[in-house]
Amino acid sequence: MVGRRRVMGYGIAAGALAAVGIGEALGSRSVAHGTRPDTGAVDGSLTHVAGDAPVQAFDTAPARGVLERLLTAGHAGQIELRAVSPTAGTADRYRIRSSALSGPASETLTATAVTIEATTTSALLSGAAHYLKYVANVTISLPSDSLAQLSPILPTPRGELSGAAAVKHRFALNDTENGYAGAYRAWPEWERTLDVLAFHGFTEVLVAAGQDEVYRRVFTEFGYTPADIDAWIPAASHQPWWLLGNLQAVDAPEPPAVRQANVAVIQQVVARLRELGMTPVLPGYLGQVPLGFTKRNPSARVLPQGIWDGYQRPDWLDPRDPHFARIAESFYRHQADLYGPTTAYKMDLLHEGGTSAGVPMGDAAVAVMTALQTAHPGATWVMLGWEGNPRRDVLDAVRTCGSAACARGKVLIVDGCSDKYTAFDREDDWGGAAYAFGTITNFGGRSLLGANAATWTDRFAKALAAKGSALSGIAWMPEASGHDPAAFELFAELAWRPDAFDLTDWFGQYAARRYGKVDAAATKAWHTFAQTAYSLPPGTYSQAQDSLFSAWPDLSAVSAAPGGPDMRYDGAAFEQAVLTLLQADPSLRSVDAYRYDVVDFTRQALSNHARVLLPKIKAAYDGRDLAAWHTLTSRWLQAMTLLDSLLATDKRFLLGTWLGAGGYEARSLITTWGDRGPAALLRNYGARELSGLVADVYLPRWRKQFAALEPVLTGAAKQAAEIDWFALDDAWARGAGSYPTEPSGDPFAVANTVASFLSPP
């Protein structure tokens, strides 16, 4: 492991920089007052012998654009960005130092407070993020920021700071992200997401949306009419699972205008990623074909794939069949026409089931890789590490295939289970295939807070240091982005910290960075949050518990979604910390990050309270204690009403904001989802707490349940009437009507009402 030095309370991997001559690669240069903050390339004396032409480094303008979008113009202009030509084979690196800044505060600032030098756009932005967090003491996250706390003149570093990436691959987003985070997001929301990912050093972003237009173009070449294809392709909200081979024809077709708008947005997304030096990771072709393919192509070998949680899977074309190579050629050609070529393609053979029907999976994998390499020589096949995927026979076949085309390819596994289970050996599981240490911190975009933080820092450092380690990246893969900023911030830093670091120290400083100033109450609250929600023990789960308010009513419920965890930390301690957070200095109320956290953490405390109430309600029911039943169920319904009012105070917790242009297909995704049967794995899977959803779906459910159970308590009935929860949810999902997209109410007033509710006199 590289050496470390302590600068302003932050562990810096200085030795990694020194080893490649950082003093030469990132040389100093004085900056005169009024100099443009970007120089594009370093001073010639740093990169070439006198008299030679300067080495041209990368353009800093894209990184400058990110800063100008995220910061005010006055602040962005005080940060000088300088590009340094990298040395081949070395890690991304940055250096931060103070710059000359002159002139009274009343003048327009044209000089810089800080200079950031780096070898890539990603490193430049990572350096800027490090400077803002650890020198200026503010954060920009997904979602929210504390930029309101910045002074007009930015602070200068006390000393030189430097950093180097510990891993090459910094991967973000999940196959399902475009469904659960919002399939109808407009460009401004996408732009913010991409800017914040870039700012935190991510270099590869999965972009699964927009592929429906590719498939429309492909299969018109194989005997299908536009109407045939439209009937096969699901609505945008469900397309992630169609691309994974799990379902087809859900709520299709969509209006052409909606489809075209989605394509235009994704074209902007991939263009911005390339501009920022980031890799768009696009879906590859695995063999999905529409119904009736053999009627149009009689010699093809097509294999039915059966049912996935109540949905019909798409048929699978045997990759060894000659039709496969022709379809793959068409797919990659049309995809490149729409979105341009890239160097990484995400695919998983037989994701979560399906059947090989006798097809040797190693041979299938070789055919898939060969088709990819024929279209994009040298491209990387990205696979998800999840349950039994990727299969060892697939990896072994791709690694040893004799085809010249196949041999050009590379494999990267983005592991969704690095922080799950007690122990495992990814080197052994995957035969030395390159992989990224990853986490899936929420499923379905459920409303929850917390992380296996200690597991992250411990396992990542050990895996990286292991002899012959194949660990080469990190992978941030929540099923919906824009949740739990603390977890996001911490995980992103792993890529720049090769050693296990002190979480007590990290969280001890986090409150000040998060809110832009030191506040005793906030610091105390976050000390407890670090010991509860962010100290989840290693085991089966990578996420915290969800909310019982959003569960299908059951007095014995332990989770809202099937198979979710029960309480994973001390709820009473967490609740007390929330009450402490509310006692922070009122001046913080103008800070976006504090406002967001007040809503989110108070929401979590109220949701945790449901786990205290529900066993008491069940005990009252089982004991036929009508008085206690009335008191406790009334308290439960009051808590849910308070919850909806709290969520209504912030735009990011509004159902209307999440729905966007979506109708039934979006509403069903967060309620009914898959099969209606009792064994269904997806029912209520996207259970989340949004204002409007709580009031119009969850609250009526529980009212109906309590009303159905009360006659049993009074002796008027021997058993409660059966209620079809799926039918009730489905009726809501098919309903009309819009929901507010602007907040209402004062978050601090409602949060304090919740505090009084949780701590009655």
Side-chain angles (χ1 to χ4, degrees), residues 646-731:
L646 176 69
L647 298 169
T649 65
D650 192 296
K651 185 181 181 72
R652 292 156 290 197
F653 295 92
L654 301 180
L655 176 61
T657 301
W658 183 84
L659 284 175
Y664 168 73
E665 70 287 346
R667 291 180 180 219
S668 66
L669 194 66
I670 53 175
T671 50
T672 52
W673 225 136
D675 189 13
R676 64 180 295 142
L681 298 177
L682 290 174
R683 72 169 194 271
N684 213 41
Y685 182 86
R688 60 184 67 187
E689 293 179 329
L690 298 170
S691 179
L693 193 63
V694 173
D696 289 358
V697 177
Y698 304 156
L699 189 54
R701 282 181 190 163
W702 283 99
R703 280 201 184 107
K704 197 171 188 69
Q705 176 74 348
F706 294 153
L709 292 174
E710 183 151 337
V712 179
L713 271 79
T714 62
K718 291 185 178 180
Q719 62 182 27
E722 291 288 333
I723 301 171
D724 188 339
W725 302 116
F726 187 99
L728 287 175
D729 285 359
D730 189 57

Side-chain angles (χ1 to χ4, degrees), residues 143-180:
S144 63
D145 62 65
S146 54
L147 296 176
Q149 299 288 63
L150 281 176
S151 60
I153 298 179
L154 294 178
T156 57
R158 296 178 185 173
E160 187 177 286
L161 305 173
S162 57
V167 287
K168 174 184 178 181
H169 298 287
R170 281 101 70 187
F171 180 95
L173 303 190
N174 192 294
D175 294 271
T176 68
E177 201 270 347
N178 199 59
Y180 289 132

Side-chain angles (χ1 to χ4, degrees), residues 245-312:
N246 293 342
L247 52 77
Q248 61 186 350
V250 177
D251 304 311
E254 285 191 313
V258 172
R259 302 198 318 251
Q260 291 162 8
N262 285 344
V263 168
V265 168
I266 300 306
Q267 288 173 332
Q268 288 179 285
V269 168
V270 295
R272 177 57 55 78
L273 288 171
R274 293 187 178 99
E275 176 187 310
L276 294 173
M278 302 166 76
T279 300
V281 181
L282 301 178
Y285 184 66
L286 281 166
Q288 295 99 318
V289 294
L291 290 169
F293 188 81
T294 53
K295 292 180 181 179
R296 296 165 176 83
N297 304 273
S299 64
R301 184 166 188 252
V302 173
L303 311 170
Q305 292 300 294
I307 303 298
W308 180 79
D309 205 63
Y311 292 103
Q312 179 64 53

